[in-house]
Structures are given as C-alpha cells and as structure tokens.
Amino acid sequence: MPMRQLVLAVLLPCAVAGCANAPDFPAGDAANAPFPQIVPISEIQAEVTTTPDEDGIDALAARAADLRARADKLRGTPAVDDATEDEMQDALTAS
C-alpha cells in the first residue's frame, strides 16, 4: 500500500501540471533581446540627482496642514445619522 501512495503522490502532481497552459514566450525581436544587466544600487543612486528645494517642503507642509484641518472637521462628525443609529440600537436589543 505505501508504494501505491508514493506512485500517486508523484504522478498526480505531474498529471495536474500537464494540464496547465503553456507560457507565452516573446516572439520576434523580443525573443532575441539580451538579458537585462544587473548593476549595483550605488551606480543607480549616483545617476539620480535630487536637491531639496523650498517649494517641495512648503507644498508638503501645506498638504499636512490641510489634512490636519480635514481630520479635525471629521472628528466632530458622526459616522451615521440619528435614524440609522436608532435602527442599529433596535437591532441590537432585539437580538
């Protein structure tokens, strides 16, 4: 019996894998394209030049202030109206 289970354990996954669709391989120029070159991250970072400017910092500070004001406004607003809250309370007491 263990031999039978071993054969099933090997053949069943192979049979299931045989039912899968073949992957789509590129055709034409893409099929003969070279593999991408792997380069160290330090080379990539050396190509990127960013300088912090005051416009970016001011824009970020303005956005943060807008989000804080919006959060303050939402804190005083109930999530549901009174009628819906009453229905929810009635449903809780009925169960």
Side-chain angles (χ1 to χ4, degrees):
M1 189 74 162
M3 184 64 167
R4 187 181 225 175
Q5 291 174 347
L6 179 64
V7 170
L8 260 175
V10 171
L11 289 181
L12 186 63
C14 292
V16 170
C19 296
N21 294 334
D24 292 332
F25 293 108
D29 292 338
N32 299 322
F35 285 103
Q37 186 179 14
I38 299 174
V39 295
I41 191 72
S42 58
E43 288 183 27
I44 296 172
Q45 289 174 335
E47 293 178 11
V48 177
T49 56
T50 57
T51 55
D53 56 349
E54 291 299 319
D55 293 336
I57 294 172
D58 291 342
L60 185 61
R63 183 171 178 222
D66 289 343
L67 288 172
R68 284 188 196 97
R70 183 176 173 197
D72 289 339
K73 183 179 175 184
L74 288 173
R75 281 190 190 102
T77 306
V80 294
D81 59 2
D82 292 335
T84 305
E85 187 173 353
D86 291 341
E87 288 178 27
M88 291 168 49
Q89 287 298 330
D90 291 343
L92 284 174
T93 55
S95 60

